[in-house]
mmCIF file of all heavy atoms in Angstrom:
data_model
loop_
_atom_site.group_PDB
_atom_site.id
_atom_site.type_symbol
_atom_site.label_atom_id
_atom_site.label_comp_id
_atom_site.label_asym_id
_atom_site.label_seq_id
_atom_site.Cartn_x
_atom_site.Cartn_y
_atom_site.Cartn_z
ATOM 1 N N GLU A 247 -7.030 78.460 -237.721
ATOM 2 C CA GLU A 247 -6.148 77.287 -237.745
ATOM 3 C C GLU A 247 -5.510 77.066 -236.376
ATOM 4 O O GLU A 247 -5.414 75.931 -235.895
ATOM 5 C CB GLU A 247 -5.072 77.459 -238.812
ATOM 6 C CG GLU A 247 -5.586 77.325 -240.226
ATOM 7 C CD GLU A 247 -4.539 77.672 -241.283
ATOM 8 O OE1 GLU A 247 -3.439 78.149 -240.916
ATOM 9 O OE2 GLU A 247 -4.832 77.467 -242.466
ATOM 10 N N GLU A 248 -5.082 78.145 -235.739
ATOM 11 C CA GLU A 248 -4.500 78.016 -234.393
ATOM 12 C C GLU A 248 -5.533 77.497 -233.400
ATOM 13 O O GLU A 248 -5.226 76.656 -232.549
ATOM 14 C CB GLU A 248 -3.948 79.363 -233.922
ATOM 15 C CG GLU A 248 -2.673 79.784 -234.623
ATOM 16 C CD GLU A 248 -2.181 81.146 -234.158
ATOM 17 O OE1 GLU A 248 -2.963 81.891 -233.499
ATOM 18 O OE2 GLU A 248 -1.023 81.469 -234.453
ATOM 19 N N ALA A 249 -6.756 77.994 -233.514
ATOM 20 C CA ALA A 249 -7.819 77.538 -232.618
ATOM 21 C C ALA A 249 -8.121 76.059 -232.851
ATOM 22 O O ALA A 249 -8.351 75.306 -231.894
ATOM 23 C CB ALA A 249 -9.077 78.375 -232.812
ATOM 24 N N ALA A 250 -8.095 75.637 -234.106
ATOM 25 C CA ALA A 250 -8.342 74.227 -234.415
ATOM 26 C C ALA A 250 -7.236 73.356 -233.833
ATOM 27 O O ALA A 250 -7.505 72.286 -233.277
ATOM 28 C CB ALA A 250 -8.451 74.028 -235.924
ATOM 29 N N GLN A 251 -5.987 73.817 -233.946
ATOM 30 C CA GLN A 251 -4.874 73.056 -233.363
ATOM 31 C C GLN A 251 -5.006 72.986 -231.847
ATOM 32 O O GLN A 251 -4.766 71.937 -231.231
ATOM 33 C CB GLN A 251 -3.533 73.692 -233.748
ATOM 34 C CG GLN A 251 -3.163 73.507 -235.201
ATOM 35 C CD GLN A 251 -1.896 74.256 -235.571
ATOM 36 O OE1 GLN A 251 -1.339 75.007 -234.775
ATOM 37 N NE2 GLN A 251 -1.441 74.042 -236.803
ATOM 38 N N ALA A 252 -5.400 74.090 -231.239
ATOM 39 C CA ALA A 252 -5.600 74.097 -229.783
ATOM 40 C C ALA A 252 -6.720 73.139 -229.394
ATOM 41 O O ALA A 252 -6.610 72.415 -228.401
ATOM 42 C CB ALA A 252 -5.912 75.513 -229.294
ATOM 43 N N ALA A 253 -7.787 73.098 -230.193
ATOM 44 C CA ALA A 253 -8.894 72.186 -229.900
ATOM 45 C C ALA A 253 -8.444 70.737 -229.988
ATOM 46 O O ALA A 253 -8.834 69.904 -229.158
ATOM 47 C CB ALA A 253 -10.055 72.443 -230.861
ATOM 48 N N VAL A 254 -7.589 70.430 -230.959
ATOM 49 C CA VAL A 254 -7.069 69.062 -231.093
ATOM 50 C C VAL A 254 -6.216 68.715 -229.869
ATOM 51 O O VAL A 254 -6.322 67.620 -229.308
ATOM 52 C CB VAL A 254 -6.259 68.920 -232.404
ATOM 53 C CG1 VAL A 254 -5.468 67.622 -232.413
ATOM 54 C CG2 VAL A 254 -7.190 68.985 -233.603
ATOM 55 N N GLN A 255 -5.393 69.645 -229.433
ATOM 56 C CA GLN A 255 -4.558 69.404 -228.253
ATOM 57 C C GLN A 255 -5.413 69.237 -226.997
ATOM 58 O O GLN A 255 -5.137 68.382 -226.153
ATOM 59 C CB GLN A 255 -3.558 70.547 -228.065
ATOM 60 C CG GLN A 255 -2.476 70.583 -229.130
ATOM 61 C CD GLN A 255 -1.556 71.787 -228.997
ATOM 62 O OE1 GLN A 255 -1.842 72.717 -228.239
ATOM 63 N NE2 GLN A 255 -0.463 71.771 -229.722
ATOM 64 N N ILE A 256 -6.454 70.034 -226.885
ATOM 65 C CA ILE A 256 -7.352 69.917 -225.728
ATOM 66 C C ILE A 256 -8.045 68.565 -225.740
ATOM 67 O O ILE A 256 -8.171 67.908 -224.698
ATOM 68 C CB ILE A 256 -8.370 71.068 -225.720
ATOM 69 C CG1 ILE A 256 -7.661 72.383 -225.388
ATOM 70 C CG2 ILE A 256 -9.501 70.803 -224.738
ATOM 71 C CD1 ILE A 256 -8.513 73.626 -225.608
ATOM 72 N N ALA A 257 -8.472 68.131 -226.920
ATOM 73 C CA ALA A 257 -9.139 66.823 -227.018
ATOM 74 C C ALA A 257 -8.182 65.700 -226.640
ATOM 75 O O ALA A 257 -8.565 64.761 -225.938
ATOM 76 C CB ALA A 257 -9.674 66.615 -228.432
ATOM 77 N N ALA A 258 -6.924 65.808 -227.086
ATOM 78 C CA ALA A 258 -5.932 64.783 -226.733
ATOM 79 C C ALA A 258 -5.677 64.781 -225.229
ATOM 80 O O ALA A 258 -5.587 63.709 -224.603
ATOM 81 C CB ALA A 258 -4.634 65.023 -227.502
ATOM 82 N N SER A 259 -5.584 65.956 -224.636
ATOM 83 C CA SER A 259 -5.382 66.042 -223.186
ATOM 84 C C SER A 259 -6.571 65.466 -222.435
ATOM 85 O O SER A 259 -6.402 64.769 -221.431
ATOM 86 C CB SER A 259 -5.176 67.499 -222.766
ATOM 87 O OG SER A 259 -3.981 68.002 -223.308
ATOM 88 N N ALA A 260 -7.762 65.760 -222.912
ATOM 89 C CA ALA A 260 -8.961 65.230 -222.266
ATOM 90 C C ALA A 260 -8.980 63.708 -222.343
ATOM 91 O O ALA A 260 -9.351 63.032 -221.375
ATOM 92 C CB ALA A 260 -10.213 65.812 -222.920
ATOM 93 N N GLN A 261 -8.555 63.154 -223.462
ATOM 94 C CA GLN A 261 -8.503 61.695 -223.604
ATOM 95 C C GLN A 261 -7.481 61.098 -222.639
ATOM 96 O O GLN A 261 -7.727 60.065 -222.017
ATOM 97 C CB GLN A 261 -8.166 61.302 -225.046
ATOM 98 C CG GLN A 261 -8.177 59.808 -225.286
ATOM 99 C CD GLN A 261 -9.528 59.174 -224.996
ATOM 100 O OE1 GLN A 261 -10.555 59.676 -225.415
ATOM 101 N NE2 GLN A 261 -9.536 58.076 -224.269
ATOM 102 N N GLN A 262 -6.337 61.755 -222.513
ATOM 103 C CA GLN A 262 -5.324 61.280 -221.564
ATOM 104 C C GLN A 262 -5.866 61.321 -220.139
ATOM 105 O O GLN A 262 -5.625 60.401 -219.350
ATOM 106 C CB GLN A 262 -4.051 62.128 -221.679
ATOM 107 C CG GLN A 262 -3.268 61.881 -222.953
ATOM 108 C CD GLN A 262 -2.075 62.811 -223.085
ATOM 109 O OE1 GLN A 262 -1.953 63.809 -222.368
ATOM 110 N NE2 GLN A 262 -1.180 62.492 -223.996
ATOM 111 N N GLN A 263 -6.582 62.376 -219.806
ATOM 112 C CA GLN A 263 -7.161 62.472 -218.462
ATOM 113 C C GLN A 263 -8.199 61.376 -218.250
ATOM 114 O O GLN A 263 -8.259 60.778 -217.170
ATOM 115 C CB GLN A 263 -7.794 63.845 -218.253
ATOM 116 C CG GLN A 263 -6.785 64.952 -218.099
ATOM 117 C CD GLN A 263 -7.429 66.313 -217.926
ATOM 118 O OE1 GLN A 263 -8.622 66.486 -218.127
ATOM 119 N NE2 GLN A 263 -6.631 67.299 -217.544
ATOM 120 N N THR A 264 -8.982 61.111 -219.273
ATOM 121 C CA THR A 264 -9.981 60.043 -219.172
ATOM 122 C C THR A 264 -9.294 58.710 -218.931
ATOM 123 O O THR A 264 -9.719 57.920 -218.071
ATOM 124 C CB THR A 264 -10.835 59.985 -220.459
ATOM 125 O OG1 THR A 264 -11.521 61.227 -220.601
ATOM 126 C CG2 THR A 264 -11.841 58.855 -220.406
ATOM 127 N N ASN A 265 -8.225 58.454 -219.669
ATOM 128 C CA ASN A 265 -7.479 57.201 -219.482
ATOM 129 C C ASN A 265 -6.917 57.115 -218.066
ATOM 130 O O ASN A 265 -6.979 56.059 -217.425
ATOM 131 C CB ASN A 265 -6.351 57.085 -220.508
ATOM 132 C CG ASN A 265 -6.854 56.898 -221.923
ATOM 133 O OD1 ASN A 265 -8.009 56.543 -222.150
ATOM 134 N ND2 ASN A 265 -6.008 57.157 -222.895
ATOM 135 N N GLY A 266 -6.369 58.213 -217.586
ATOM 136 C CA GLY A 266 -5.822 58.232 -216.227
ATOM 137 C C GLY A 266 -6.897 57.989 -215.179
ATOM 138 O O GLY A 266 -6.683 57.254 -214.213
ATOM 139 N N ILE A 267 -8.062 58.585 -215.363
ATOM 140 C CA ILE A 267 -9.162 58.394 -214.413
ATOM 141 C C ILE A 267 -9.637 56.944 -214.434
ATOM 142 O O ILE A 267 -9.933 56.363 -213.379
ATOM 143 C CB ILE A 267 -10.316 59.373 -214.727
ATOM 144 C CG1 ILE A 267 -9.886 60.797 -214.365
ATOM 145 C CG2 ILE A 267 -11.587 58.996 -213.995
ATOM 146 C CD1 ILE A 267 -10.828 61.881 -214.855
ATOM 147 N N GLU A 268 -9.695 56.348 -215.629
ATOM 148 C CA GLU A 268 -10.101 54.939 -215.719
ATOM 149 C C GLU A 268 -9.092 54.040 -215.009
ATOM 150 O O GLU A 268 -9.474 53.093 -214.319
ATOM 151 C CB GLU A 268 -10.252 54.535 -217.183
ATOM 152 C CG GLU A 268 -11.484 55.126 -217.850
ATOM 153 C CD GLU A 268 -11.536 54.868 -219.346
ATOM 154 O OE1 GLU A 268 -10.571 54.311 -219.910
ATOM 155 O OE2 GLU A 268 -12.560 55.226 -219.958
ATOM 156 N N GLN A 269 -7.802 54.339 -215.169
ATOM 157 C CA GLN A 269 -6.781 53.549 -214.472
ATOM 158 C C GLN A 269 -6.904 53.728 -212.968
ATOM 159 O O GLN A 269 -6.768 52.761 -212.205
ATOM 160 C CB GLN A 269 -5.387 53.955 -214.952
ATOM 161 C CG GLN A 269 -5.079 53.527 -216.375
ATOM 162 C CD GLN A 269 -3.727 54.033 -216.858
ATOM 163 O OE1 GLN A 269 -3.085 54.852 -216.218
ATOM 164 N NE2 GLN A 269 -3.307 53.535 -218.008
#
Side-chain angles (χ1 to χ4, degrees):
E247 287 173 353
E248 287 178 346
Q251 289 175 354
V254 168
Q255 291 175 348
I256 290 169
S259 295
Q261 183 60 47
Q262 289 176 346
Q263 288 179 348
T264 298
N265 292 343
I267 289 169
E268 287 173 355
Q269 290 176 350

